[in-house]
Amino acid sequence: TGKQPSSTTIQADETCDYLNSHLTIFVVGASGDLAKKKTYPSLYALYRLSFLPASVVICGYARSHKTDAEFRDHLVRTYDDVRSAETASGAACVNRLFYFAIPPSVFVPIGTSLKNAIIGPSEEEEKEMGNGCDGGDGTGTGTGQQHIGWNRLIIEKPFGKDTASFEKLSSAMGALYTEKHLYRIDHYLGKEMVKNLMMMRYSNAIFEPLWNRNHISNVQITFKENFGTKGRGGYFDGYGIIRDIIQNHLLQVLTLVAMEPPVACSGENYSNYVRNEKVKVLDSILPVELEDCVLGQYLAPEDGSEPAYVDDPTVPDDSVTPTYAAMVLRINNPRWEGVPFILKAGKALNERKAEIRIQFKQPPGAAAMFPGEKIPHNELVMRLQPDEAVYMKMNVKEPGLRTTPVISELDLTYKSSFPDAFNVDAYTRLILDVLRGSQAAFVRDDELRSAWKIFTPVLHRIEREKVQPIKYAYGSRGPAEADELLRKEGFKYHAEYEWQSRSNL
């Protein structure tokens, strides 16, 4: 259903050499919401788009009503049937994709079972034996006349709760698999507008010369949901909005906004070029200070139509877990010193929206040239969801006889500018990247290590001091104190302007 792709916009290319081999896909945690809502629909989309081989087996494993030991035993026994299907395919080469739609607490035991019973020896051992077929990442093994090309694992967040828990998880998984095996997925990196960031920055001559502290006043990256925890209160209360959204999704977007130009944005080895620059900018970010944060927790609306956060039966009555946070990050490097990067995320707010907002400094001399007039700041806004768009807020003369500046925009709204374009879901795009062996949009272990160093101190302080979040009404913009934080950091709000999506016009 819906818009169908055209052959000119989506088609296989030389990076899809896996299409000539047999593919086995394991979904571990097959009965969960993630698998039902994202994994299976994405695999079906890839099938409809002809991005799955003619010879493919998709197998799901669920641990419902099983102990960890029973689940692992079932996993190994059932795989015998899949191995028979691989053999019966007659393919010279078999590739395997494992999707871990499971909690991180069972990553290591399930990863160990897969390693011992299915995946087999390490890359180094295989090189010594001379086995494997050309899978593009050196992760092959040999089984008689049929060879295993590659084994790749997609792992879902959370990747720990702080630096120590991440290091423990990373060390355990690293003992089983190398970075070539592991694809730590963050679906924000698969969004169309996030994918567009590097193209915009580096292929348009007007942007990169302005992309620095000399011209940019502040950067906001915002995530807003217009609903509460929706039955996930028990899970959410153990993590909070900082771990759930800011430390991963928004920070990943920040790295693409703030990083230095990589050697290449496509082509051979570009994945490492991009991720190297992301790590460099993360290493330049100072740890967040509590004094640079506003924390909030939503109350029930006045009409009582929705429960307050603590009214969720799975949330403790005295919970101080924030459902809203605004935080200022400071990048200590020559490009960005003095420019605040403000990350905001919240639940039960007035709208659903995710965007990047880059506010530029006032043009020199403008106040003197237009005495008595208020000159609004230029802004470049990239709307990630919904209604993907890029627009630049520009100052023009108000029509008529007066010389009065008003805000207009240069607007690229995707639905109106590309009415026939077919845009796949972020998960579909990222699973295709895994099949192609492209890791640029996946999180490397050193990225996570650097990310947790930024947030662990303030997270521990919030928990140690039991910092009380500011209450805000369900359906509001969040705590008023967040607006004051933005003003303190130099953000200028222009209430007389509101962007209208051209897709709705």
Side-chain angles (χ1 to χ4, degrees):
T1 60
K3 190 183 296 293
Q4 297 300 308
S6 70
S7 59
T8 58
T9 57
I10 298 181
Q11 56 187 344
D13 57 23
E14 66 277 1
T15 64
C16 298
D17 55 357
Y18 67 89
L19 291 171
N20 299 319
S21 303
H22 176 85
L23 175 64
T24 298
I25 300 174
F26 292 80
V27 181
V28 187
S31 62
D33 283 347
L34 175 66
K36 294 175 183 176
K37 294 178 180 178
K38 294 296 183 182
T39 310
Y40 298 144
S42 294
L43 291 174
Y44 180 62
L46 291 173
Y47 165 75
R48 292 189 65 192
L49 295 168
S50 300
F51 279 115
L52 293 184
S55 179
V56 60
V57 171
I58 300 176
C59 184
Y61 296 94
R63 57 182 312 219
S64 304
H65 311 298
K66 291 184 177 69
T67 66
D68 288 352
E70 289 171 340
F71 179 58
R72 292 195 295 271
D73 290 342
H74 179 70
L75 185 75
V76 174
R77 287 198 309 272
T78 308
Y79 179 67
D80 290 338
D81 296 332
V82 177
R83 194 189 299 274
S84 297
E86 290 178 344
T87 303
S89 72
C93 184
V94 172
N95 297 313
R96 295 171 182 153
L97 171 62
F98 302 88
Y99 199 120
F100 277 30
I102 51 178
S105 59
V106 291
F107 281 179
V108 176
I110 298 303
T112 301
S113 296
L114 290 173
K115 176 75 171 180
N116 293 338
I118 301 173
I119 295 176
S122 68
E123 297 173 40
E124 289 74 15
E125 292 168 325
E126 285 303 317
K127 288 177 181 178
E128 292 177 6
M129 293 186 291
N131 291 327
C133 54
D134 184 11
D137 59 5
T139 61
T141 62
T143 56
Q145 297 301 310
Q146 192 174 64
H147 294 279
I148 305 304
W150 47 253
N151 294 286
R152 295 170 183 160
L153 286 71
I154 298 177
I155 301 178
E156 284 278 351
K157 74 176 183 73
F159 310 114
K161 295 185 69 173
D162 55 15
T163 297
S165 58
F166 159 72
E167 292 289 4
K168 181 178 179 181
L169 178 61
S170 179
S171 176
M173 289 299 288
L176 298 170
Y177 305 103
T178 71
E179 281 296 306
K180 290 181 180 180
H181 288 100
L182 299 175
Y183 289 71
R184 300 178 189 86
I185 193 169
D186 186 321
H187 76 274
Y188 260 59
L189 292 176
K191 289 184 175 294
E192 176 68 26
M193 294 309 300
V194 176
K195 288 281 194 180
N196 199 18
L197 258 171
M198 289 190 291
M199 181 65 73
M200 275 195 56
R201 275 191 65 180
Y202 305 128
S203 69
N204 293 290
I206 61 172
F207 289 129
E208 192 59 19
L210 305 179
W211 215 263
N212 55 60
R213 65 192 299 271
N214 298 324
H215 300 282
I216 292 176
S217 170
N218 56 81
V219 179
Q220 285 186 62
I221 304 173
T222 301
F223 170 92
K224 300 173 75 173
E225 285 183 335
N226 57 359
F227 53 85
T229 51
K230 280 193 170 181
R232 293 177 65 244
Y235 164 82
F236 184 86
D237 202 66
Y239 288 89
I241 198 71
I242 300 173
R243 290 184 176 97
D244 196 40
I245 301 296
I246 294 179
Q247 184 272 341
N248 40 74
H249 299 328
L250 300 194
L251 188 66
Q252 284 295 314
V253 174
L254 180 151
T255 63
L256 295 176
V257 173
M259 71 180 186
E260 294 299 313
V263 173
C265 295
S266 62
E268 186 176 357
N269 201 38
Y270 89 98
S271 294
N272 281 328
Y273 292 139
V274 170
R275 296 196 291 181
N276 288 346
E277 296 304 331
K278 289 169 66 181
V279 171
K280 289 178 186 177
V281 77
L282 287 171
D283 285 341
S284 299
I285 299 176
L286 302 173
V288 177
E289 300 286 349
L290 183 58
E291 292 70 23
D292 287 332
C293 302
V294 171
L295 307 177
Q297 187 185 90
Y298 66 84
L299 298 170
E302 291 185 3
D303 63 6
S305 57
E306 297 287 347
Y309 175 69
V310 294
D311 291 338
D312 184 318
T314 62
V315 174
D317 293 340
D318 60 349
S319 172
V320 294
T321 298
T323 61
Y324 177 97
M327 318 180 80
V328 182
L329 274 63
R330 307 186 190 279
I331 303 177
N332 190 23
N333 67 15
R335 182 185 289 264
W336 295 114
E337 185 178 15
V339 178
F341 280 72
I342 303 155
L343 307 186
K344 300 188 301 177
K347 291 183 173 293
L349 297 176
N350 60 325
E351 61 181 329
R352 173 178 174 261
K353 180 175 73 173
E355 69 176 23
I356 306 162
R357 183 175 297 267
I358 299 171
Q359 189 169 81
F360 291 87
K361 294 182 176 180
Q362 285 274 293
M369 287 185 281
F370 303 99
E373 299 291 352
K374 181 181 178 182
I375 308 297
H377 288 247
N378 298 132
E379 290 182 355
L380 175 66
V381 181
M382 300 185 70
R383 191 178 180 96
L384 310 182
Q385 66 180 30
D387 299 324
E388 294 94 338
V390 183
Y391 60 96
M392 173 73 87
K393 291 169 63 174
M394 307 284 291
N395 296 319
V396 298
K397 177 187 158 310
E398 183 179 48
L401 299 178
R402 299 178 57 200
T403 307
T404 302
V406 295
I407 302 174
S408 186
E409 72 275 324
L410 300 176
D411 190 343
L412 165 61
T413 297
Y414 267 52
K415 287 182 180 178
S416 57
S417 298
F418 306 109
D420 297 323
F422 178 78
N423 192 12
V424 299
D425 177 79
Y427 274 89
T428 305
R429 190 191 307 269
L430 290 172
I431 294 174
L432 179 58
D433 278 351
V434 177
L435 296 175
R436 288 169 161 169
S438 173
Q439 292 185 300
F442 295 85
V443 187
R444 208 166 59 188
D445 62 340
D446 51 350
E447 286 184 66
L448 284 166
R449 184 170 293 109
S450 298
W452 280 119
K453 288 179 181 178
I454 297 167
F455 289 98
T456 292
V458 73
L459 286 167
H460 283 181
R461 183 178 172 188
I462 290 169
E463 291 160 357
R464 183 174 61 251
E465 298 179 10
K466 297 188 182 302
V467 176
Q468 292 290 325
I470 300 164
K471 304 299 183 181
Y472 64 94
Y474 194 113
S476 69
R477 294 182 62 248
E481 288 81 352
D483 293 333
E484 180 57 35
L485 177 67
L486 265 62
R487 282 192 290 271
K488 185 182 76 170
E489 295 298 333
F491 175 71
K492 304 297 182 183
Y493 178 64
H494 303 292
E496 67 277 6
Y497 171 86
E498 183 176 356
W499 177 76
Q500 297 291 329
S501 171
R502 295 187 183 274
S503 64
N504 298 326
L505 299 180

